[in-house]
Amino acid sequence: MSQTQQTTEASSEWNTEPWSRLKESIHSRWPHISEQDLHSVPRNRDEIEKFLGEFTQASDEEIQSVVREHAPAPTILDQVGHVGEQISEQVTPPIQSAVDRVRYEVDEHPGTITGLAFVSGLALGALVTAAYMRARPQPPAYRQLLPERWQ
C-alpha cells in the first residue's frame, strides 16, 4: 500500500464524528500539533494520550480530560487486549529472569543438572508405577485360591 493511500485512509478514519470532535479539541488546545502528525497516530485513546504526552508539556490529567471527553469509549475487545498487554508486561520480566537463571545453572553445572534430571525421572517413574498398581482392581480373595483354569 502506498504512502498516499495510507494517509487518505487515516484521514477518512479521523473524519468520523467522535474522532473529528477530538481532533478539533486537540487543535484548539494545542495548535502546534499539525494534522499530519495527528493523523499518524492510531485511533486509540491510549495511543493518543501517549502521543500528546510526548508532544506537549501538559499534565497527564489535562491530556486525559481532553481525550476522554471527546474520544469514543474503547470496545470490550480493546479493553481486554489492553489488560492482557499490562499483565504480560508485568509477568514477562520475572519469567525471563527465571529462564536466564536456569540456562546459567545448566551451562555452569551440566553434570549436576543431568544427575538431578535422572534422579527426578526415576522418582517420578516409581510414583507413577505405584499409583498404577494401587489403582488396578485386585481380584477377590476367593479367586486367588481357585486354580487358573476355573477363573
Side-chain angles (χ1 to χ4, degrees), residues 7-131:
T7 306
T8 305
E9 287 179 11
S11 299
S12 65
E13 291 174 353
W14 277 93
N15 288 335
T16 59
E17 178 58 31
W19 296 105
S20 65
R21 280 186 284 140
L22 175 63
K23 182 173 67 170
E24 291 170 10
S25 66
I26 289 173
H27 283 302
S28 65
R29 178 66 185 94
W30 297 287
H32 67 277
I33 298 176
S34 69
E35 277 196 42
Q36 191 174 26
D37 289 338
L38 194 56
H39 286 290
S40 67
V41 179
R43 291 186 316 161
N44 179 317
R45 285 171 37 170
D46 296 330
E47 293 294 324
I48 293 170
E49 288 173 3
K50 188 188 321 181
F51 169 79
L52 291 174
E54 293 173 4
F55 282 92
T56 64
Q57 300 297 326
S59 66
D60 290 340
E61 293 82 22
E62 181 181 2
I63 292 170
Q64 288 176 357
S65 69
V66 170
V67 172
R68 294 182 181 185
E69 179 181 346
H70 298 289
T75 64
I76 297 293
L77 184 61
D78 292 338
Q79 291 174 355
V80 169
H82 184 66
V83 169
E85 288 174 3
Q86 288 177 334
I87 290 171
S88 69
E89 288 173 0
Q90 292 173 355
V91 171
T92 302
I95 290 174
Q96 187 64 39
S97 174
V99 168
D100 289 344
R101 179 64 185 188
V102 168
R103 285 183 182 149
Y104 170 78
E105 291 299 330
V106 168
D107 289 344
E108 290 296 314
H109 310 287
T112 304
I113 299 299
T114 302
L116 184 61
F118 176 75
V119 170
S120 299
L122 194 61
L124 184 62
L127 287 173
V128 169
T129 303

